[in-house]
Amino acid sequence: MTHSIPDIQSTPDTRNMPINRVGIKDLHFPVRIESAQGVVHTTAKLKMAVYLPAEQKGTHMSRFVALMEEHDAALSPAALHHLTESMLARLHAHSGSIEAAFAFFRTKTAPVSGIKSLMDYQVTLACDINQGQTRHRLSVLVPVTSLCPCSKEISQYGAHNQRSHVTVSLESDGAVAVEEIIDLVENQASCQLYGLLKRPDEKFVTERAYENPKFVEDMVRDIALALQNDARIHRFSVESENFESIHNHSAYALIESAPV
């Protein structure tokens, strides 16, 4: 005789307490990412969650993983939107979100020798659907070089510089590419970074940084002005942490746009 297995998650709950988001996080999964240089392969750390009504005891956790096992398309804002809609349909939810954090690799060419190497950037793509209203979020951490204008002004022999982490987070209509944000940040830094440099390249980047000094305040202001003038972007934040070479602390600045 066959006995049915009870589905406890679907049983009623009497506490009258809905849950805004319930699901799984830190699911590591191989993914493909759509980019301007073609489809790139990486591993994403995923957070997937849905709204749970007050009358339902629990969600079906295995369905999140099953959805990823069946997913075959390269990730992009549009593909992530479709994946989020599929998740809501599978979990019978009106609201939910998917967040994918991953290392994004880009081939860069050294400025003098022309030697090519990979640079990695930390990227997060997210889609949140709340009762039919969709929000796309993109976050990119870009490592760059900054050189202190004050140090340059007061020093006879040089100036101190440091590696900086600039993080841009934005909400848009989904049309902003990762490479656009990387280019924007690198163009506003004292100098960009490269995975591999020959001696002529090292001379170039050292002198480039010296000729283009930036305070942490300069960096966030210049980037924020460019983001502010992009009609595709609804709201944004830009922050920079400069890992000081002459202090045991970081310099830090943050600008957040007003909500639209």
Side-chain angles (χ1 to χ4, degrees):
M1 183 178 180
T2 301
H3 296 280
S4 61
I5 299 175
D7 182 5
I8 301 299
Q9 291 97 325
S10 297
T11 58
D13 195 279
T14 59
R15 285 166 285 190
N16 193 32
M17 185 65 66
I19 299 177
N20 296 90
R21 292 290 185 268
V22 59
I24 63 173
K25 63 177 294 187
D26 291 347
L27 171 66
H28 293 261
F29 211 85
V31 295
R32 291 174 295 127
I33 307 297
E34 282 188 11
S35 75
Q37 61 191 4
V39 176
V40 296
H41 294 257
T42 187
T43 301
K45 184 167 69 172
L46 293 156
K47 180 179 179 181
M48 309 171 71
V50 296
Y51 173 86
L52 190 73
E55 67 274 9
Q56 187 175 332
K57 190 170 188 65
T59 193
H60 296 271
M61 299 290 184
S62 63
R63 296 183 184 179
F64 297 102
V65 181
L67 181 66
M68 291 307 303
E69 291 287 350
E70 298 168 10
H71 180 73
D72 190 46
L75 279 184
S76 65
L80 191 60
H81 187 184
H82 178 72
L83 186 65
T84 307
E85 289 182 324
S86 298
M87 178 185 70
L88 298 186
R90 182 167 297 204
L91 275 298
H92 307 292
H94 61 61
S95 302
S97 59
I98 298 179
E99 179 180 289
F102 51 89
F104 180 85
F105 291 90
R106 192 181 194 190
T107 300
K108 298 191 69 175
T109 303
V112 180
S113 69
I115 191 169
K116 296 184 182 299
S117 61
L118 290 174
M119 268 289 294
D120 63 295
Y121 307 85
Q122 296 302 311
V123 176
T124 300
L125 273 178
C127 178
D128 185 281
I129 300 177
N130 189 356
Q131 300 193 69
Q133 299 296 313
T134 302
R135 295 169 61 187
H136 293 279
R137 180 167 57 85
L138 170 64
S139 179
V140 187
L141 188 157
V142 184
V144 294
T145 291
S146 61
L147 185 136
C148 178
C150 181
S151 177
K152 177 181 177 179
E153 182 67 24
I154 65 177
S155 301
Q156 185 174 354
Y157 301 115
H160 79 83
N161 58 11
Q162 51 272 320
R163 188 158 50 90
S164 305
H165 281 178
V166 179
T167 302
V168 173
S169 298
L170 59 87
E171 292 181 13
S172 72
D173 56 13
V176 180
V178 172
E179 290 92 342
E180 291 182 79
I181 301 303
I182 294 173
D183 289 341
L184 168 60
V185 173
E186 291 183 337
N187 288 337
Q188 295 298 341
S190 293
C191 190
Q192 57 184 287
L193 303 186
Y194 299 86
L196 184 60
L197 295 171
K198 297 295 187 180
R199 277 173 293 182
D201 302 309
E202 186 173 350
K203 179 179 185 297
F204 177 91
V205 299
T206 300
E207 293 173 346
R208 166 64 180 164
Y210 189 79
E211 293 165 357
N212 189 33
K214 290 280 185 94
F215 286 126
V216 69
E217 297 94 333
D218 296 320
M219 201 108 69
V220 295
R221 281 174 169 150
D222 290 340
I223 296 167
L225 282 173
L227 295 170
Q228 184 176 273
N229 292 328
D230 192 326
R232 300 170 300 170
I233 297 173
H234 308 317
R235 59 187 300 178
F236 66 85
S237 70
V238 53
E239 59 183 323
S240 180
E241 180 178 6
N242 292 5
F243 303 99
E244 294 291 293
S245 60
I246 62 171
H247 303 295
N248 195 27
H249 59 261
S250 297
Y252 175 79
L254 166 70
I255 292 178
E256 294 179 309
S257 69
V260 175

